[in-house]
Amino acid sequence: MERPQAEYFRYSSRDTLVARPRAHEEKRTLGRAWALGRRLLFGRPLASEEEADERLPKKKALAIFSSDAISSSAYATEEILRALVLAGATAGVGTAYLGLALPVSIGLAILLGVVALSYRMIVVAYPTGGGSYSVSKASFGRMPSLVAASALLVGYVLTVAVSVSSAADQIISAVPALAPFHAALAVGAVLLITLANLRGVREAGNIFAIPTYLFLGTALLMIGLGAYQVLVEGAGAAYASISETAVDLSSLALVLLAVRAFSAGAVGLTGTEAIATGVPAFQPPEAKNAATTLAIMSVILGTLFVGITFLAHGFGIIPSAEVTVIAQAAEAVFGTGSLGFFLFLAFTTLILMLAANTSFAAFPVLAAVLAADRFFPRSFAFRGERLAYTLGIVVLGLLASVLIVAFGGNTSALIPLYAVAIFTDFTISQSGMVRHWLRNKTAGWQPRLAVNAVGALITGIILVSVTVSRAPESLLVIVVLPIQVAVMWFIRREYDTVSVELEVEEGQVFVAPAKAKRVIVPVMDMTRATIQSVQFGRSLSEDVKAVHITADAEAGEQLRERWQRVLPGVPLVIVETPYRSLVLPFLHYLDVMAPTPPDTITIVVLPEYVPRHWWDRLLYNQLAAKLKRAIVGRPDTVVADVPYGSERTHRGMDLRLPRGRRQEEDEASASVE
């Protein structure tokens, strides 16, 4: 059957282009098993046209992009209480400062509204995604935008580490015997979330939506029941207010204490920026749907944050190293060992694990945006079989796992790094929006400018407070950010340099080069691979030479005698070396004894064995790989690989000579020997 002549083909993973003979039925079966395993683990490959179907409706987007922000209510209150208890212990007044917790949480809820409103503006102004990176790039230029992007990337990695570590805390609160396996539980959760996201964004939404809404339902139920018990039934023993204690604080000391607690609890705002980064993942109209989801998320988060802090205040909960604050609140509301208690802890653990999924939705998108701008390797912009940014997902999972192991899954140790990264991003993005409104004075720009200016000021103060109060741990982010910026700058410079070198100027016309070709074949021994390489070289040019590097002159002469009988007409050059080196003598031969004449291209033909097994890669082709690395880049020199393998290596392709010719050659070889 005549093959169609075409210059353009479209590949479909469902079609087969190469037929395999029955002799390879075993490999074919293994291939099918591998394909089936991939299909079960990751799902069927998706065509590019199906990308629109992978977009997220608001209900699933809320589960994916808001799980981080919503879940932070599980540990934000605890951070406020820990800061107040630490301050009280330092001052020698015990828990006297805990009465500030509820006012601080209300202040943080107000700040959350400001930050959410600011990011809502960003969503509308920059609907292509990228969040603070896009804002700062448009407002301040390259360097500030890279700082914002670095802060975002670090924040997303820490989001995963903090969320799953906190989830492990909840598990251990319910089952203390698992405490020695804290880090292992967290890393296992990261692995599961990574696999789920490799199945695609929409698939991740299907997996994570139900646990998110289960947590929301049980958390709101707990807050409602707890409020009734405290306000109506008079249960619990509320914290005493500052005025009711014997503690005498000056106005300045009170403000500083509130700022410290405010900064500690500000981790509850983390995750607010994720929706602005992942706008392209929403169903059309993307900006409108993202803005609506952001508003819903901020209302839910504010309610949970203030509600859980109210329960801690009403029941007089004090932070403990063994049991989390939210677990103590659930125990007070539902009862010790009750079904409601264990269900709520289970749902809290799930939402904390799934909170990491916010980063898995946003980090790969930001990495793809940076790759499109040539600040990240281009492979980060490549969508895998499931239309997910595979490399970004895998890299995020690996980095988060390394952090968890390095910090032993200690949530309190990770949170300062988390807060510094996120509030760096908050401050830059809101400052960028201030610049945006000053440049683009559209209708209603003055109140929007005021919102962003206030937000930038407050988040900047919190950034400084967290960095100073949680030093030296917090300084690690300050060190990492400039290093990451320098790496991205270097990547962009490399891409720019190569683009200039490869650029084709407008109006240039290229004609066929009038250059002669000569072929040089490095030879180790007289083998079929060598003969095939020489024969290929003969098809390229009449000027063919073989070069044999040897430390044994006698063995070299024996090879020359056999060579002249088997391959007459092809000169064999013997290069003797006393140092048992092969690559350098061959390069010296090219440079000194056989320099490239003008208007001539030297083609170095390398025989290369086709490995049948993974271990063959360790046993063969090492010299060919070294020669290739040494020759690539040499002026007027190209390298041609000639693959050679055994009968079993090639599927349906018989590289052996016909039987009659094999018999003649075997007889000729016998007579020569």
Side-chain angles (χ1 to χ4, degrees), residues 222-266:
M222 181 184 74
I223 292 171
L225 290 175
Y228 178 82
Q229 293 171 7
V230 171
L231 297 176
V232 178
E233 297 180 352
Y239 303 137
S241 64
I242 292 292
S243 60
E244 296 173 340
T245 63
V247 178
D248 183 21
L249 285 175
S250 66
S251 298
L252 178 59
L254 186 62
V255 170
L256 292 177
L257 179 59
V259 168
R260 184 171 184 178
F262 196 87
S263 301

Side-chain angles (χ1 to χ4, degrees), residues 339-357:
L339 178 62
F341 169 73
F342 283 109
L343 282 178
F344 178 72
L345 279 192
F347 297 150
T348 303
T349 302
L350 282 176
I351 188 66
L352 284 166
M353 288 184 179
L354 303 185
N357 189 65

